Amino acid sequence: MNARAVEQLKMEEELRDAMQNHELELRYQPQIDISSGQVVSMEALVRWKHPVRGMVSPLDFIPVAESTGQIIELGDWVLTEVARHCLYWDSLGLPPFRVCVNISPLQFNQDDLPGRISRFLEHTKMDAKRLELELTESAIMTDAQTNIEKLAQLKALGLELAVDDFGTGYSSLSYLKRFPIDTLKIDQSFVGDLNTPDGAAIVDAIIALSKTLNLRVIAEGIENPAQLAYLVNRGCDLLQGYYFSQPIYPEDVPAMLRQDFNQDLASAVKIA
Ligand code: C2E
Ligand code: MG
Ligand code: MG
């Protein structure tokens, strides 16, 4: 316990320096539209290039940032960086595509999140339609009644809302229907379990639920042709995972947008 507390304290200090010393960077992972085979959106994922430890996984430092409150500053930095990258891509003449940004529970629970996002959009002149916020199931379901209002205020700004890691928390179906959300993101653990009857049944259920509720559904963590084949044949709208691409540098986004994955999708249909 003590050692862990010391480690956490150290990381907290190092993370403070990291934000000042520009050790954080963003990568973007493409999301492929099943009907066109094209990349239609990208998820922004933060990376920490530690001067001594090398790459530190967000799975290690996001929870620390969340527990110390540093996630607020970090989250603001991520949004600002996304806006900067969008301007850069615009300057290259790329067609605008959607960028998905992860919002942690603490960020979501800030009282004035809609106001902050609104000021961010005004300040950066970023088109709200380009932005999708990925919220966690537990964040929006805790105190769901109050959150309906907050989600509605966010939606009123013109952006899109996704529920990340869907299926790992617990959702009240009646609230899910009342929330103004656009996308359900099937957690990658279920995609990883697609070769088991339970995994496949859960994925089927989430896709069916999305269709019934008129929501876009995306699967993440697709690594192999068998998983792709299953999801394509079930009509999962969007696809994301190492099978298509690892998260990439912003400079590599233009080439990624030119990729055509139709061949992969066509062979996937044949496999299943
Ligand atoms: P997430 O939002 O569910 O992101 C998906 C994670 O799965 C990413 O890990 C991504 O690199 C990884 N991934 C993508 N395709 C595959 C695949 O085919 N196989 C496997 N095994 N993994 C795949 P990453 O980048 O390490 O991020 C982990 C988590 O850290 C994210 O989960 C998110 O919860 C959090 N995170 C990352 N960036 C941010 C950020 O900017 N803000 C906040 N609040 N959280 C972030
Ligand atoms: Mg995410
Ligand atoms: Mg996820």
Side-chain angles (χ1 to χ4, degrees), residues 1 11 20-21 27 61 67 104 135 140 225 230 239 245 272:
M1 279 270 298
M11 193 177 273
Q20 270 165 16
N21 300 340
R27 298 284 185 277
F61 68 87
S67 71
S104 81
L135 311 167
I140 59 172
Y230 193 92
L239 310 158
S245 169

Side-chain angles (χ1 to χ4, degrees), residues 216-232:
R216 191 191 291 135
V217 59
I218 170 163
E220 64 180 335
I222 303 168
E223 293 184 346
N224 60 51
Q227 291 163 349
L228 177 63
Y230 193 92
L231 292 158
V232 168

Side-chain angles (χ1 to χ4, degrees), residues 54-69:
M55 277 292 183
V56 186
S57 165
L59 294 173
D60 294 328
F61 68 87
I62 293 288
V64 176
E66 176 83 9
S67 71
T68 59

